[in-house]
Amino acid sequence: MEADGFLRRRRMTAERAGGDAGVAGASAGAEVRWLGGRIWGVSESLVGSLSPRIGGETEIKTVIQFSGGAPEVTLADTSEPDYEGLPQGASTSTHMVAGAVAGIMEHCLMFPIDCVKTRMQSLQPEPAARYRNVMDALRRIITTEGVWRPMRGLNATAVGAGPAHALYFACYEKLKKSLGDIIHPGANSHLANGVAGCVSTLLHDAAMNPSEVVKQRLQMYNSPYRGVMDCVRAVWQSEGAAAFYRSYTTQLTMNVPFQVLHFMTYESLQELLNPHRQYNPSSHMVSGALAGAIAAAATTPLDVCKTLLNTQESLVGLPAAGQGGGQGTHRHITGLAHAFRTVYRLGGLPGFFKGVQARVIYQMPSTAISWSVYEFFKYGITKHQHEKRIAQRREGEKEK
């Protein structure tokens, strides 16, 4: 069938792209392709259980032709499905499946750069963990700590990214459609996009924050934890369950403006590059990359504070707890305001932009991958269901 050929070609393209991901390609690439295959297999049952007609689809029309004898019944071919106009029932499951796959691939393929970003945001790095730039950091980490060191904490991220992005994209698409119909029917609404981005961020961060805490502690230089479960146990026993959400308000303070900028920029670029909102991989990739770069650069100061709250880096030169005005090692940063004061005291204004290069380099391909994979799976699932529904109806007509 044409749809099956389409899906096979797309999967081959995605696999080739994943295989060229450098350090991540050897480990995350194979794992993600396997996981993508499993998710694709169950997506048919998830979406197939929902039977409403695809929005924008032209119904199969029965055309009766009279040629002097008995009427001849033929089936008129249907148009291409509009994957942006899914029905309410099917859209939620489709968006969740596509979002989960996109989130896992995005985080797994870009994980080595994320490791570098975390280290470069350290306020007082060890002498061996002071890097000139992203490539220098990656090269030295692999040379001195092993080729798999930049991937440490990947499994914690993958576990959190799937459900977090499923909620994220499903909530965004639902609210964007609902609010857009109210605010500006039939056209793109920046206000609807921004509000949908804010609300979807609340759900995404609630699911992702514990994974972020574990991931960043494992990424730090000389991390004392043996693995994910050891980190979870140690944090739980020494700092309590609240430690997994200590940076949640900071995460929201950072991600709400990030996602507002991200979604508004993406949707605006789509209006320019893809005004008819068809499946166009290049426009999704370019729009996603530029939106991610702009949002990442603008919110780097908050990301530095979030990293400090997550890692609870030991800092020398600040008043230590219980020592009044004395100097010592300050071990617990307790909130966003405290983190801001700490960053400014130790690094001044430049301290708020530590790791900005790594953050932008991480976010550009990350958001490009996320939107490209998301739109591909959304389109692929919709097209597959569209073709399947046509085949079923034709079989039904033949039986009659």
Side-chain angles (χ1 to χ4, degrees):
M1 179 182 277
E2 179 184 354
D4 293 334
F6 164 85
L7 297 179
R8 281 197 297 272
R9 290 194 297 274
R10 280 294 171 195
R11 275 201 290 267
M12 289 171 63
T13 303
E15 289 174 7
R16 286 197 296 271
D20 295 332
V23 175
S27 57
E31 178 181 343
V32 170
R33 287 197 300 273
W34 176 86
L35 184 59
R38 304 286 80 75
I39 293 177
W40 185 268
V42 301
S43 66
E44 180 179 346
S45 60
L46 282 172
V47 185
S49 62
L50 302 166
S51 59
R53 182 172 62 89
I54 295 174
E57 170 189 335
T58 303
E59 287 282 5
I60 293 182
K61 299 177 181 178
T62 303
V63 180
I64 303 178
Q65 297 178 347
F66 293 91
S67 56
E72 179 183 355
V73 180
T74 62
L75 295 175
D77 199 6
T78 59
S79 61
E80 185 76 7
D82 175 14
Y83 82 112
E84 289 284 9
L86 293 171
Q88 181 177 354
S91 64
T92 301
S93 60
T94 300
H95 295 319
M96 291 188 78
V97 172
V101 177
I104 292 171
M105 290 192 69
E106 167 198 347
H107 284 282
C108 288
L109 294 178
M110 297 306 301
F111 198 82
I113 307 300
D114 186 54
C115 175
V116 170
K117 176 188 74 72
T118 298
R119 292 198 181 191
M120 293 184 76
Q121 288 180 337
S122 174
L123 295 177
Q124 292 181 343
E126 297 283 342
R130 292 175 182 170
Y131 312 111
R132 295 191 302 273
N133 51 50
V134 175
M135 293 310 298
D136 175 61
L138 202 55
R139 178 184 59 80
R140 287 174 57 186
I141 291 172
I142 293 173
T143 302
T144 60
E145 302 176 53
V147 68
W148 298 113
R149 187 61 180 83
M151 306 303 293
R152 197 160 185 247
L154 175 67
N155 45 353
T157 298
V159 168
H165 279 72
L167 292 171
Y168 173 70
F169 278 109
C171 178
Y172 173 72
E173 294 280 6
K174 177 66 176 177
L175 285 178
K176 181 183 77 170
K177 176 84 166 56
S178 301
L179 294 175
D181 290 342
I182 297 171
I183 298 171
H184 199 173
N188 182 45
S189 170
H190 294 303
L191 178 59
N193 298 336
V195 173
C198 290
V199 178
S200 62
T201 300
L202 296 175
L203 297 177
H204 172 274
D205 289 357
M208 194 68 185
N209 210 86
S211 295
E212 282 284 313
V213 172
V214 174
K215 176 202 74 173
Q216 291 197 308
R217 294 198 180 204
L218 289 169
Q219 287 175 332
M220 292 297 286
Y221 180 75
N222 275 344
S223 173
Y225 309 107
R226 295 189 301 273
V228 171
M229 294 311 300
D230 179 54
C231 180
V232 171
R233 280 193 300 269
V235 172
W236 186 284
Q237 292 171 1
S238 62
E239 302 175 49
F244 294 104
Y245 282 94
R246 184 182 288 127
S247 65
Y248 183 57
T249 54
T250 303
Q251 187 99 333
L252 288 178
T253 305
M254 175 188 72
N255 278 346
V256 166
F258 176 92
Q259 297 301 347
V260 168
L261 284 172
H262 173 206
F263 282 119
M264 291 177 67
T265 304
Y266 179 82
E267 297 290 351
S268 297
L269 289 170
Q270 281 292 286
E271 287 292 315
L272 294 174
L273 301 176
N274 189 16
H276 299 296
R277 295 307 181 101
Q278 297 174 341
Y279 176 64
N280 187 334
S282 61
S283 76
H284 299 316
M285 187 172 294
V286 171
S287 299
L290 291 177
I294 292 170
T299 57
T300 295
L302 290 164
D303 192 49
V304 172
C305 294
K306 182 209 75 172
T307 298
L308 180 60
L309 284 165
N310 276 346
T311 60
Q312 290 297 302
E313 178 184 0
S314 295
L315 302 171
V316 178
L318 292 175
Q323 293 185 1
Q327 300 293 307
T329 301
H330 193 96
R331 293 191 177 278
H332 291 289
I333 308 299
T334 55
L336 179 58
H338 192 183
F340 260 100
R341 290 195 301 270
T342 302
V343 173
Y344 184 75
R345 179 174 294 186
L346 293 178
L349 289 177
F352 289 103
F353 289 91
K354 291 176 73 68
V356 64
Q357 180 193 42
R359 180 165 163 77
V360 171
I361 290 175
Y362 167 80
Q363 284 294 345
M364 283 189 72
S366 177
T367 49
I369 291 169
S370 179
W371 279 110
S372 299
V373 173
Y374 172 69
E375 299 286 1
F376 159 65
F377 269 84
K378 187 169 73 169
Y379 176 71
I381 292 171
T382 306
K383 185 177 179 68
H384 183 71
Q385 291 302 117
H386 176 72
E387 297 286 351
K388 184 177 179 181
R389 192 169 292 111
I390 291 174
Q392 289 174 345
R393 287 173 180 170
R394 285 176 175 165
E395 287 295 328
E397 290 293 335
K398 288 179 181 178
E399 290 176 1
K400 293 179 182 179

